């Protein structure tokens, strides 16, 4: 099966005698004892299993574990590490995960945050206690591109496990397991769900290892599992994921080109632009450049807020990956950090008509003149 076919037929396990075309939602928390039957809803559920199967197939993995959020999925990886483990993570790691490491795991895991666009910085950070290399590419919000194959090679030479947060690319545009990663993580809240109405997360593995078994135990015993409704919505959304991603990327690319020529825009971060420092790497490891971009306007935070508030089709809200365009001044959420000035605006290109979106941005920029 090829991608579009997997998205529609993968994991759609109909066992009902009525033969519905779409697998029903199974709400039952318990199942009658039989050989090989499911036992209890925290451990297993048919809709969760369907989501895990289709995500494993899309990422070319052998197994997947679904969680109640992206952070819960990442949390399971960190919980599965031995106490005292050393982790290398990107210096611009998704801020919610950086906070998780720094607040919950600070006394269990030692983390070095490095610039992953520079493999020699990763090589220099590897120590005997290093267990895990966490990659995020493209990164949030600077759309930095890490060379996944190079970093995996470096990690594996040192017996380090590699996890790649593939949320921004989606499995449609990037398959990190094929580049050598051991595990892939997604926030299902973003493109997988795609309609801004479900919180969820997933891990996919390329091999069934002891580490993977431990992660499965964290899922089933710690129990941060998604509901049957949530997993049903996610498998429903995945059916259109390949087509949504192409349309998100087409809109993002048009917006990036439009804004990069605009006199009131200082800088545009989009890996599809030839001027982006990670463009060549992105072209080699991605099949599309995604629907996310960031821009720095000429002006200060107040100007950025005035621009954002002037827009009609872009909602001023955090998150990404939904059918509706979203825009936010990023430092409202994560503060001013290195490389993220107060006037940096992050855009999630939705699926509205391209011309409507460009006209809206043009109108919004007029307040800055
Ligand atoms: C949103 C996001 C997460 C966290 O996912 P939640 O579903 O919000 O818990 C992790 N990584 C990236 C890149 C994200 O965008």
């Amino acid at each position: 099966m090829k991608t579009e076919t997997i998205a529609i037929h993968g994991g759609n396990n109909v066992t009902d005698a009525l033969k519905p075309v779409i697998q029903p939602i199974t709400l039952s928390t318990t199942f009658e004892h039989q050989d090989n039957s499911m036992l209890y809803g925290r451990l297993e559920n048919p809709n969760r299993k369907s989501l895990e199967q289709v995500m494993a197939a899309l990422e070319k993995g052998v197994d997947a574990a679904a969680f109640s959020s992206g952070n819960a999925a990442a949390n399971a990886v960190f919980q599965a590490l031995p106490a005292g483990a050393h982790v290398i993570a990107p210096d611009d790691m998704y801020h919610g995960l950086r906070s998780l490491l720094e607040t919950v795991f600070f006394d269990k895991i030692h983390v070095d945050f490095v610039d992953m666009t520079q493999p020699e910085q990763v090589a220099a950070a590897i120590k005997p206690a290093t267990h895990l290399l966490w990659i995020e590419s493209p990164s949030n919000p600077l759309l930095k591109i890490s060379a996944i194959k190079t970093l995996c090679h470096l990690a594996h030479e040192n017996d380090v496990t590699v996890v790649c947060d593939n949320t921004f690319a989606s499995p449609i545009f990037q398959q990190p397991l094929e580049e050598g990663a051991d595990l892939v993580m997604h926030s299902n809240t973003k493109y997988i769900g795609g309609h801004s109405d479900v919180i969820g997360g997933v891990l996919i593995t390329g091999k069934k290892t002891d580490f993977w078994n431990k992660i499965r135990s964290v899922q089933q015993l710690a129990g941060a599992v998604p509901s049957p409704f949530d997993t049903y919505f996610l498998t429903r959304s995945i059916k259109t994921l390949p087509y949504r991603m192409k349309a998100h990327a087409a809109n993002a690319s048009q917006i990036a080109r439009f804004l990069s020529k605009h006199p009131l825009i200082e800088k545009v971060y989009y890996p599809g632009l030839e001027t982006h420092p990670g463009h060549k790497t992105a072209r080699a490891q991605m099949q599309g450049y995604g629907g996310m971009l960031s821009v720095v306007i000429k002006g200060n935070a107040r100007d950025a807020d005035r621009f954002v508030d002037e827009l009609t089709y872009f909602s001023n809200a955090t998150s990404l990956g939904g059918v509706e365009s979203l825009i936010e001044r990023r430092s409202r959420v994560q503060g001013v950090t290195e490389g993220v000035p107060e006037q940096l605006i992050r855009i999630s290109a939705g699926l509205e008509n391209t011309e409507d979106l460009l006209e809206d941005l043009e109108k919004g920029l007029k307040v800055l003149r």
Side-chain angles (χ1 to χ4, degrees):
M1 276 197 280
K2 304 223 169 29
T3 305
E4 294 82 357
T5 315
I6 294 170
I8 292 170
H9 294 284
N12 190 39
N13 306 315
V14 176
T15 50
D16 195 312
L18 289 173
K19 301 256 175 228
V21 170
I22 297 301
Q23 184 187 333
I25 302 179
T26 303
L27 293 172
S28 186
T29 55
T30 186
F31 301 85
E32 284 190 32
H33 287 297
Q34 297 174 62
D35 293 341
N36 297 322
S37 65
M38 291 191 175
L39 189 68
Y40 180 59
R42 170 161 41 73
L43 306 176
E44 283 183 288
N45 166 276
N47 300 99
R48 192 194 314 159
K49 198 168 195 84
S50 296
L51 172 63
E52 292 175 347
Q53 285 176 346
V54 68
M55 285 306 296
L58 286 173
E59 285 287 4
K60 315 272 189 286
V62 298
D63 202 7
F67 293 84
S68 51
S69 70
N71 266 35
N75 182 70
V77 174
F78 304 143
Q79 279 192 320
L81 291 171
H86 175 243
V87 172
I88 303 173
D91 56 1
D92 62 341
M93 184 181 209
Y94 170 71
H95 78 111
L97 288 181
R98 185 174 179 137
S99 298
L100 174 68
L101 285 170
E102 289 178 339
T103 59
V104 176
F105 287 98
F106 73 95
D107 55 358
K108 181 191 162 184
I109 295 172
H110 309 291
V111 192
D112 276 322
F113 295 98
V114 309
D115 181 359
M116 297 236 170
T117 65
Q118 311 298 319
E120 57 287 359
Q121 288 199 21
V122 176
I126 295 176
K127 328 189 233 205
T130 307
H131 270 78
L132 192 78
L133 175 67
W134 187 277
I135 301 176
E136 182 184 327
S137 184
S139 73
N140 177 19
L142 293 177
L143 288 300
K144 285 210 259 177
I145 303 293
S146 306
I148 300 173
K149 202 177 269 172
T150 306
L151 294 177
C152 289
H153 191 69
L154 207 63
H156 291 154
E157 277 183 332
N158 293 280
D159 284 329
V160 172
T161 299
V162 180
V163 183
C164 185
D165 182 341
N166 203 26
T167 301
F168 269 38
S170 92
I172 306 307
F173 288 152
Q174 186 167 268
Q175 300 84 39
L177 299 178
E178 305 255 286
E179 301 288 314
D182 300 290
L183 296 173
V184 171
M185 178 237 140
H186 283 278
S187 166
N188 288 342
T189 315
K190 315 297 168 50
Y191 289 108
I192 306 297
H195 296 72
S196 308
D197 54 6
V198 184
I199 300 281
V202 68
L203 296 169
I204 302 104
T205 187
K207 282 198 204 110
K208 290 200 185 173
T209 57
D210 290 345
F211 189 56
W212 178 252
N213 293 338
K214 191 153 179 208
I215 287 172
R216 177 68 75 191
S217 298
V218 175
Q219 179 205 30
Q220 295 181 321
L221 299 174
V225 291
S227 76
F229 281 116
D230 289 352
T231 48
Y232 172 80
F233 272 127
L234 292 167
T235 49
R236 185 187 201 276
S237 293
I238 287 169
K239 293 174 199 291
T240 55
L241 181 65
Y243 296 96
R244 284 190 285 113
M245 288 315 299
K246 284 170 206 162
H248 281 297
N251 270 350
S253 167
Q254 295 274 335
I255 293 171
R257 279 172 214 288
F258 167 74
L259 292 177
S260 60
K261 287 185 212 123
H262 201 286
L264 294 168
I265 299 294
E266 181 78 41
K267 195 161 181 185
V268 177
Y269 298 86
Y270 183 64
L273 294 177
E274 295 73 16
T275 49
H276 186 284
H279 176 68
K280 264 178 80 178
T281 308
R283 201 172 58 200
Q285 70 190 19
M286 301 179 80
Q287 294 87 50
Y289 301 106
M292 294 300 297
L293 66 151
S294 292
V295 299
V296 177
I297 60 147
K298 288 186 181 155
N300 56 24
R302 260 198 62 230
D303 297 322
D305 287 338
R306 275 165 55 223
F307 162 55
V308 163
D309 286 339
E310 191 67 18
L311 302 173
T312 306
Y313 304 127
F314 294 81
S315 299
N316 181 5
T318 199
S319 197
L320 60 117
V323 294
E324 57 288 306
S325 292
L326 298 179
I327 193 162
E328 73 175 347
R329 188 163 63 76
R330 191 59 192 160
S331 59
R332 279 180 91 123
V333 177
Q334 65 177 59
V336 175
T337 54
E338 211 189 312
V340 183
E342 59 170 12
Q343 74 278 30
L344 182 133
I345 292 168
R346 192 185 73 179
I347 299 174
S348 171
L351 302 185
E352 298 91 345
N353 176 276
T354 316
E355 280 170 35
D356 285 342
L357 294 179
L358 297 182
E359 269 174 32
D360 201 21
L361 292 167
E362 176 79 69
K363 181 192 75 177
L365 285 166
K366 287 210 171 98
V367 300
L368 301 181
R369 280 189 217 278

